[in-house]
Amino acid sequence: MSIAHGVKRLGVLGSGQMGLGIAYVAAVKAKVPVLLCDRSKEQIDKGLALMDKLLEKDVKKGKIESATAAKEARDRITVVESIKGLRDVDLVVEAASENINLKTSLFSTLAQELRPDAILASNTSSISITKIAAASILPGENASSDKGKASASRVVGLHFFNPVPVMPLVELIAGLQTSEETLERARAFAVACGKEVTTSKDVPGFVSNALLMPFLNEAIMCLEKGIATRDDIDKTLRLGMNHPMGPLTLGQCFTSIMTRQN
């Protein structure tokens, strides 16, 4: 059977909250075999335990049709010990901490270890995809060589939102080097995972965080200046603007997520 996104095997690098969530929707919604890689065995064990809980919960809620379907999804997840174990994937999604040095190092290794036609995607929420793509140029090549261009052209941003099994959006970001084919295959994969897709230019924070961060900062400044209490700031946005969560509560949740990832 032909698959629009061409992903017959997915790699996920990082088994924290985001990586596990991406593996979950790929296995449950896209029904794609997933190779899950993390250097921490403890993190892998925590991630798989969380997946088992999510599967059980979704069966009870009727989101997964049966315990058999849940077991089939769980069986699609295989743990590999190193990046070398991802060498045969069609697409890898990196879900490591938001650290540019870590990400560029990982993408340099991924470009050397994976097939030259494999898509290299980052789940970054703010780091330049163009800079990450530049790190994927193979040793001995440069940005203007044919092989250098080809390697960088397969890098794309696939920004999933937390918690991944619940949040319906993926933000798609092209670096300067990203090819149209890479973009379209990445988009098709996100759709197969049950997500709506928006696109953003490769600017700091993309659309989501470029808008969110100033909003949260303004709320914090209102609190610091004594303009209103914490509760009233949040209540104003919840009840006056129909936001599901106030900005200060949202900022606290955001900080908690980033702390766990790092």
Side-chain angles (χ1 to χ4, degrees):
M1 182 178 69
S2 128
I3 303 175
H5 46 70
V7 179
K8 296 179 181 177
R9 185 180 291 110
L10 174 73
V12 176
L13 190 55
S15 63
Q17 196 163 2
M18 294 303 296
L20 190 280
I22 294 165
Y24 185 87
V25 295
V28 172
K29 298 289 188 180
K31 295 180 169 54
V32 171
V34 180
L35 301 183
L36 186 62
C37 179
D38 196 302
R39 63 186 177 182
S40 167
K41 184 180 183 306
E42 180 183 3
Q43 187 60 63
I44 286 280
D45 291 342
K46 285 181 180 178
L48 294 178
L50 175 60
M51 173 165 281
D52 290 339
K53 288 180 181 178
L54 290 173
L55 288 168
E56 183 179 359
K57 183 187 295 184
D58 281 353
V59 169
K60 288 179 179 177
K61 289 183 175 181
K63 293 181 179 180
I64 297 177
E65 60 187 19
S66 67
T68 300
K71 182 180 184 305
E72 289 172 353
R74 178 64 178 80
D75 289 345
R76 292 186 186 107
I77 307 291
T78 302
V79 174
V80 296
E81 295 182 352
S82 69
I83 288 177
K84 288 183 182 294
L86 302 175
R87 63 180 54 180
D88 291 324
V89 301
D90 301 293
L91 182 153
V92 63
V93 182
E94 166 271 315
S97 301
E98 284 289 277
N99 179 303
I100 189 168
N101 293 328
L102 173 61
K103 289 185 186 291
T104 53
S105 174
L106 287 173
F107 272 76
S108 176
T109 303
L110 288 168
Q112 294 176 62
E113 293 292 344
L114 271 58
R115 299 195 325 256
D117 61 333
I119 294 174
L120 312 180
S122 177
N123 184 55
T124 181
S125 60
S126 61
I127 296 172
S128 168
I129 299 301
T130 299
K131 289 182 179 179
I132 292 174
S136 74
I137 296 172
L138 297 170
E141 302 295 335
N142 57 60
S144 59
S145 70
D146 289 343
K147 287 185 178 180
K149 289 178 182 177
S151 187
S153 73
R154 58 191 176 132
V155 176
V156 66
L158 269 179
H159 177 207
F160 289 79
F161 290 77
N162 191 67
V164 179
V166 176
M167 300 299 280
L169 185 68
V170 167
E171 203 171 23
L172 180 68
I173 307 100
L176 292 177
Q177 311 93 323
T178 308
S179 71
E180 191 63 29
E181 180 186 357
T182 297
L183 270 181
E184 290 310 310
R185 287 181 60 197
R187 179 193 297 275
F189 175 73
V191 170
C193 289
K195 304 302 182 184
E196 296 285 338
V197 180
T198 60
T199 59
S200 171
K201 290 187 179 296
D202 187 20
V203 297
F206 317 132
V207 170
S208 55
N209 284 320
L211 294 176
L212 178 62
M213 292 301 107
F215 171 62
L216 297 183
N217 285 338
E218 286 295 328
I220 292 167
M221 288 172 65
C222 281
L223 182 63
E224 289 178 341
K225 291 175 181 177
I227 294 172
T229 65
R230 174 195 172 106
D231 287 347
D232 280 352
I233 291 169
D234 276 358
K235 186 182 289 186
T236 298
L237 273 294
R238 284 192 294 106
L239 303 185
M241 308 300 177
N242 203 28
H243 289 200
M245 183 184 297
L248 296 175
T249 300
L250 178 60
Q252 188 173 22
C253 291
F254 186 83
T255 301
S256 175
I257 291 165
M258 294 302 292
T259 300
R260 284 198 298 270
Q261 286 182 340
N262 288 298

